[in-house]
Structures are given as C-alpha cells and as structure tokens.
Amino acid sequence: LAKTTQPISMDSYEGQEVNITCSHNNIATNDYITWYQQFPSQGPRFIIQGYKTKVTNEVASLFIPADRKSSTLSLPRVSLSDTAVYYCLVGPSYNQGGKLIFGQGTELSVKP
Amino acid sequence: GAVVSQHPSWVICKSGTSVKIECRSLDFQATTMFWYRQFPKQSLMLMATSNEGSKATYEQGVEKDKFLINHASLTLSTLTVTSAHPEDSSFYICSALRADRGLVEQFFGPGTRLTVL
C-alpha cells in the first residue's frame, strides 16, 4: 500500500478555509485516495474519497492533480468542532472493503 | 450510516488479568471486521482481520496468542487481551464491513479505552 505524508499539525481560525495536503508519490493505478476524520477517543469517520480531479460533498472537497501523487482536502469555513485529526489513506476504494492502513494524520486545531 | 458498537467503552484491569472487548454491528451483518490499536498521539495500527467462522488474520508483529479474536456470528467479533500488562493500555477500535447491493463500506466503532494497572 502506498505510503502517505501529511503535515503533523495545522492551526486555523473559525470561518477560514483549511487545505490539508497529502503526498503519495507511489500511488498505484488502482488506488483511491480516502480521507477520514477522528475526534479524540472516537473511531474514525469517513469524509471523502476520490480517484482523480475534484470531488465535493456536503462536508469537504478533494482536489487531485493529474499525476495523482498528491491530494488536498479542503474544509470550507471551519468551526471549532472541526478540530480533529485528519487521515489521508491510499489504497483500495472505500467501498471495496479492503483493510485500511492509517498514516500519521494531521492534527487540525481550530481557534476562535 | 450503519452503526457499530463496542463494549465496554472503557475498562480498567489489574496486570495479569484478561479483558474481553466486544464489537457489534447493530443493523447489518458483517462477515469481516477489523481490530485496530491506537496509542496516545499516534495513528491507528491495524492488528488483525476477523472473519466470521474462520481464524483471524494477524498483522506482522501482533501476537495471536495474546490477542485472541473470535468472530462467532455475523454481528459480533470479540478481542480478548490475555494476561494484560501496562504496555497493553491503549485505545482499541473495531470496524465492520457492510456489503449491500455490490457496495462494501467500512464503519468504525467508538473505541474501547483499556487501562492496565
């Protein structure tokens, strides 16, 4: 499974847009890019998944360049409740049921 | 979304005792469940894949005799930490796969905090 690299931590303020970039230079042709959110003492929660270009849902957007060696999770207008750890995973599609290998994650801190 | 529960949510035990953690899929059947362990300020580490009716598959470095996994029904997998020691203190998280009309999704439980004294 492709290894991912993310910033260890990020700080932001309420109302700002937050972009978290993940590097995955060894991504395979069949790999998808999936982001999870985890609050303290809770299990991870699926945010968004993409294969290429741009994906948007009610929570976030995911931007993937043509070479797919990186991806950027964009959280619009964050609030204090978005303070969490965000994990970028590369591997089988979320809906293929493969085992997930979590990387280091990015600890996002949103301040008032 | 589908609901996965864990019991207990937290447990404190003495060193040398065994602790059983349950993972249940409440509104769907799950032939496959996963067990993860997470130490403070660290990422989730996959421990094993639990398959209903068969032996679990353990990741490299995880002692199968210490972390006993039983997946006896389509809605329940259990993880037993045998002869627990303080270094086993961690946050244990399970996930369950739901297959529905060709789509397979993975849902996580809320986790179980184990503290070994």
Side-chain angles (χ1 to χ4, degrees):
Chain A
L1 296 175
K3 181 180 178 180
T4 60
T5 303
Q6 306 172 231
I8 295 175
S9 64
M10 292 182 68
D11 290 331
S12 181
Y13 291 92
E14 281 191 293
Q16 289 187 334
E17 178 184 79
V18 171
N19 296 307
I20 306 174
T21 298
C22 177
S23 297
H24 28 80
N25 292 317
N26 297 322
I27 188 169
T29 303
N30 296 331
D31 286 340
Y32 284 74
I33 301 155
T34 309
W35 286 80
Y36 281 82
Q37 175 192 56
Q38 186 184 27
F39 296 113
S41 297
Q42 293 187 29
R45 183 176 73 102
F46 172 86
I47 301 177
I48 196 168
Q49 182 183 72
Y51 183 80
K52 62 180 179 180
T53 62
K54 176 184 175 182
V55 180
T56 298
N57 61 21
E58 63 276 8
V59 177
S61 294
L62 179 59
F63 299 91
I64 305 168
D67 65 5
R68 303 200 328 122
K69 294 184 182 299
S70 67
S71 59
T72 299
L73 175 72
S74 180
L75 305 172
R77 298 179 297 282
V78 294
S79 63
L80 296 176
S81 62
D82 292 316
T83 294
V85 178
Y86 293 82
Y87 294 97
C88 164
L89 284 74
V90 174
S93 171
Y94 164 77
N95 59 15
Q96 290 178 353
K99 61 182 182 181
L100 301 177
I101 305 298
F102 285 79
Q104 183 177 316
T106 298
E107 186 172 8
L108 173 65
S109 177
V110 180
K111 303 174 182 178
Chain B
V3 178
V4 175
S5 70
Q6 287 185 234
H7 178 80
S9 55
W10 59 269
V11 57
I12 301 173
C13 70
K14 292 182 178 180
S15 184
T17 62
S18 295
V19 175
K20 180 184 287 187
I21 302 170
E22 294 183 347
C23 177
R24 292 182 185 275
S25 54
L26 297 184
D27 52 357
F28 65 98
Q29 294 182 331
T31 56
T32 302
M33 294 183 175
F34 299 99
W35 285 97
Y36 297 82
R37 179 169 56 180
Q38 185 175 33
F39 293 109
K41 296 294 185 180
Q42 294 188 23
S43 183
L44 286 78
M45 185 196 79
L46 179 65
M47 299 176 67
T49 302
S50 172
N51 298 298
E52 187 268 336
S54 64
K55 292 183 178 180
T57 303
Y58 291 82
E59 295 299 305
Q60 188 174 7
V62 178
E63 301 176 58
K64 62 180 181 180
D65 294 330
K66 180 166 182 65
F67 299 99
L68 302 179
I69 293 174
N70 185 288
H71 195 155
S73 79
L74 288 173
T75 59
L76 174 64
S77 175
T78 60
L79 169 68
T80 301
V81 183
T82 62
S83 186
H85 288 92
E87 56 266 30
D88 298 322
S89 297
S90 187
F91 192 53
Y92 291 86
I93 305 170
C94 74
S95 68
L97 295 186
R98 182 184 71 176
D100 182 22
R101 284 167 284 188
L103 186 67
V104 180
E105 297 176 274
Q106 183 166 166
F107 298 92
F108 286 84
T112 295
R113 176 78 57 192
L114 170 63
T115 302
V116 184
L117 302 177

